[in-house]
Amino acid sequence: MKQCLILVDLQKDFVDGALGTPEAVAMLPRAVEKIRKFTGEIFVTLDTHGPDYLETAEGKKLPVPHCIRGTAGWQLHPAVAEALAGRAYTAVEKPTFGSMELPSRIAGAVGEEPFSLELIGLCTDICVVSNALLLKAAFPEVPISVDAACCAGVSPETHRAALETMRCCQIDVIHAEG
């Protein structure tokens, strides 16, 4: 079975930049270690906004400019970029929480081969859960998991709530506390 790892928005702005959190900084070494050891197909989502971000629907509700294409905050966190150096992966830019393009990119990469999906990244309660649910809808018979130890939410409480939401939607949550 082909294994796919989806790195959700492991960008500088979400780790230690404009929207960074201590929890994101703390989980990053675990995510980097997982990336280094992983031998399957890798997909990377990149939250991507333009200079007009504050005028968008998202920007009006979250008025913190972040992941503006071409800025340092939009780039993969340097530790993640280093872990991916020299490795093939598929990058998918997304203008909002979940990527409508990601399922078709995965389907194209795996072809007819059976596969599984594992997600890690940021933020558990926004982009990780959005992508996990989109992928579950696109691939209802595919084993999908989220590694809780390699994710962080806006807060510890919303991280746990998102993990529970994913469990309720038959997405396996691994390495969760408690």
Side-chain angles (χ1 to χ4, degrees):
M1 177 177 290
K2 182 171 255 190
Q3 296 178 325
C4 301
L5 181 65
I6 295 108
L7 315 182
V8 179
D9 300 354
L10 287 172
Q11 295 159 272
K12 181 156 180 48
D13 269 348
F14 289 120
V15 177
D16 55 14
L19 293 172
T21 64
E23 293 82 13
V25 171
M27 82 74 202
L28 190 64
R30 294 186 297 274
V32 166
E33 185 64 19
K34 181 174 279 276
I35 294 164
R36 284 196 172 114
K37 290 180 176 178
F38 189 75
T39 58
E41 190 89 25
I42 297 177
F43 296 86
V44 175
T45 70
L46 296 167
D47 195 50
T48 303
H49 303 294
D52 65 338
Y53 172 76
L54 292 176
E55 283 77 54
T56 67
E58 179 183 324
K60 290 176 182 169
K61 291 186 183 265
L62 178 63
V64 179
H66 65 281
C67 297
I68 307 299
R69 180 185 277 112
T71 65
W74 176 72
Q75 302 294 325
L76 288 172
H77 189 278
V80 174
E82 183 182 318
L84 289 169
R87 299 186 60 185
Y89 63 90
T90 302
V92 180
E93 292 184 13
K94 58 183 193 56
T96 189
F97 309 136
S99 171
M100 299 297 286
E101 181 183 350
L102 185 59
S104 63
R105 298 291 293 274
I106 291 169
V110 300
E112 297 298 317
E113 189 174 346
F115 65 100
S116 65
L117 302 172
E118 181 176 348
L119 291 88
I120 65 172
L122 302 164
C123 296
T124 318
D125 44 344
I126 302 173
C127 294
V128 174
V129 68
S130 295
N131 283 287
L133 293 174
L134 280 168
L135 291 168
K136 187 64 177 175
F139 306 115
E141 298 301 321
V142 170
I144 300 176
S145 63
V146 172
D147 187 339
C150 294
C151 294
V154 172
S155 71
E157 296 77 22
T158 57
H159 167 77
R160 288 189 294 274
L163 295 174
E164 188 57 31
T165 295
M166 289 185 273
R167 277 188 197 99
C168 289
C169 293
Q170 300 177 0
I171 294 166
D172 295 324
V173 176
I174 60 172
H175 301 127
E177 295 177 8

